[in-house]
Amino acid sequence: MIFLSNLAIPLTIFLILYCGLRERINVFDIFVDGAKEGIEMVFKIFPTLMGLFVAIGVLRSSGLLDFVVQIISPITNFLGIPKEIMPLAILRPISRKRFTCSWNRYNEDIWRR
């Protein structure tokens, strides 16, 4: 199994190159264009991610997150949800929604292709 996992990436690269050569597609130019779009994406969503990380850090260090977990712990204990995962359960929907909003705002043109 380790042998197969070690070959996964090289086989994928060779498969992409083979399909590109068979279809007579300039694989390198497509790769460079994709890498350029990826870098632009990183620069567009970086401020949102940094703000999210700072907000989560503030919530954790201020103790507000622990306070909220403590308040809802009777309900979560009744439901059998461990209190250790409650900070993640509280922050996950917030972070996912914010990232999705940023993704849609900056990348509407991707879906039009």
Side-chain angles (χ1 to χ4, degrees):
M1 192 56 134
I2 294 174
F3 178 73
L4 183 62
S5 63
N6 286 339
L7 286 179
I9 292 178
L11 285 176
T12 303
I13 291 171
F14 285 124
L15 180 67
I16 291 169
L17 290 174
Y18 171 74
C19 291
L21 291 173
R22 189 182 67 193
E23 299 292 325
R24 301 192 191 286
I25 297 172
N26 193 346
V27 178
F28 183 73
D29 287 342
I30 293 172
F31 171 76
V32 170
D33 290 341
K36 189 184 339 179
E37 287 179 16
I39 295 289
E40 290 172 1
M41 173 67 57
V42 167
F43 284 122
K44 287 180 181 177
I45 66 171
F46 182 76
T48 301
L49 289 176
M50 185 56 68
L52 184 63
F53 291 147
V54 168
I56 290 171
V58 167
L59 285 174
R60 284 183 184 260
S61 63
S62 70
L64 181 64
L65 196 57
D66 294 330
F67 178 70
V68 171
V69 168
Q70 204 170 27
I71 289 175
I72 63 174
S73 65
I75 298 168
T76 58
N77 289 339
F78 178 74
L79 296 174
I81 301 172
K83 69 176 184 175
E84 291 82 13
I85 67 165
M86 285 313 299
L88 177 64
I90 293 169
L91 294 175
R92 176 73 182 210
I94 297 169
S95 63
R96 184 161 177 94
K97 180 65 177 170
R98 181 61 189 134
F99 179 76
T100 305
C101 289
S102 296
W103 177 271
N104 290 338
R105 183 176 66 224
Y106 291 122
N107 296 301
E108 291 175 356
D109 62 329
I110 289 176
W111 304 111
R112 292 182 195 150
R113 292 182 186 176

